[in-house]
Amino acid sequence: MLALGEREIRSSFVNCSKGEASRIKMPPGLSDGSIPWNDLDFLGWTDPGAPMRALLVVPGQDGPTGIVLRRPEAMRASATRSSMCRVCLTDHAASGVSLFVAPLAGAAGRNGNSVGEYLCSDLACSLYLRGRRQPRMRLIRREETLTLSERIDRAMANLAAFTTRVAAG
């Protein structure tokens, strides 16, 4: 992913007002340059000022698309259950995947309509795909025959489908 600045990030959000976008706390590492842009396919973080709010910025043909998400409250989950992220298809212990809900863009979102997707709880799909981060409490890792590039393309197609649903309202 190409490095983005604060102005580009704030102007990319499609499902919140400009005022709401101006109040979003930027991801840790943006100001000091420590975000590993080369290892990211999209930018995802939890707003430190509002821990129930998560944010995604996904690159696209027409520039980045930002989505504001509502995080679920932290729940204690069983280590024996497992879940799979619908974007990167990484298997996690149950607590490693959460249902994130995004208000739709435009009038539909203002009327309370939303869509949800099961994503890695830490929004680090890119790092799981590259093996830079391992799911906690997973003893068996499913091996795939796809190349890294093919897995990234699949994850980005899955994420693009979600962002398109949100942006379409």
Side-chain angles (χ1 to χ4, degrees), residues 61-125:
Q61 298 279 352
D62 302 324
T65 300
I67 304 276
V68 176
L69 304 161
R70 192 171 51 247
R71 295 184 69 90
E73 289 188 36
M75 294 178 20
R76 202 160 167 83
S78 167
T80 60
R81 293 190 52 200
S82 63
S83 299
M84 180 184 286
C85 172
R86 298 260 315 188
V87 169
C88 66
L89 305 184
T90 299
D91 291 317
H92 290 271
S95 63
V97 173
S98 299
L99 176 62
F100 289 85
V101 178
L104 295 175
R110 288 189 297 276
N111 289 333
N113 296 320
S114 60
V115 294
E117 190 67 272
Y118 287 95
L119 303 170
C120 294
S121 296
D122 58 4
L123 301 172
C125 297

Side-chain angles (χ1 to χ4, degrees), residues 12-29:
S12 73
F13 289 101
V14 297
N15 66 338
C16 70
S17 69
K18 289 182 181 181
E20 289 172 306
S22 70
R23 291 186 295 275
I24 292 171
K25 300 251 192 272
M26 289 293 104

Side-chain angles (χ1 to χ4, degrees), residues 83-167:
S83 299
M84 180 184 286
C85 172
R86 298 260 315 188
V87 169
C88 66
L89 305 184
T90 299
D91 291 317
H92 290 271
S95 63
V97 173
S98 299
L99 176 62
F100 289 85
V101 178
L104 295 175
R110 288 189 297 276
N111 289 333
N113 296 320
S114 60
V115 294
E117 190 67 272
Y118 287 95
L119 303 170
C120 294
S121 296
D122 58 4
L123 301 172
C125 297
S126 299
L127 301 178
Y128 291 115
L129 285 171
R130 289 168 174 75
R132 303 244 192 293
R133 187 173 289 177
Q134 297 299 317
R136 286 185 283 158
M137 295 192 262
R138 294 299 302 162
L139 300 176
I140 300 170
R141 183 173 170 97
R142 182 174 39 89
E143 293 298 322
E144 291 191 272
T145 58
L146 297 177
T147 65
L148 174 60
S149 177
E150 291 169 331
R151 289 187 312 227
I152 290 169
D153 289 345
R154 177 186 62 201
M156 294 309 292
N158 293 340
L159 192 56
F162 178 61
T163 58
T164 299
R165 282 193 324 239
V166 173

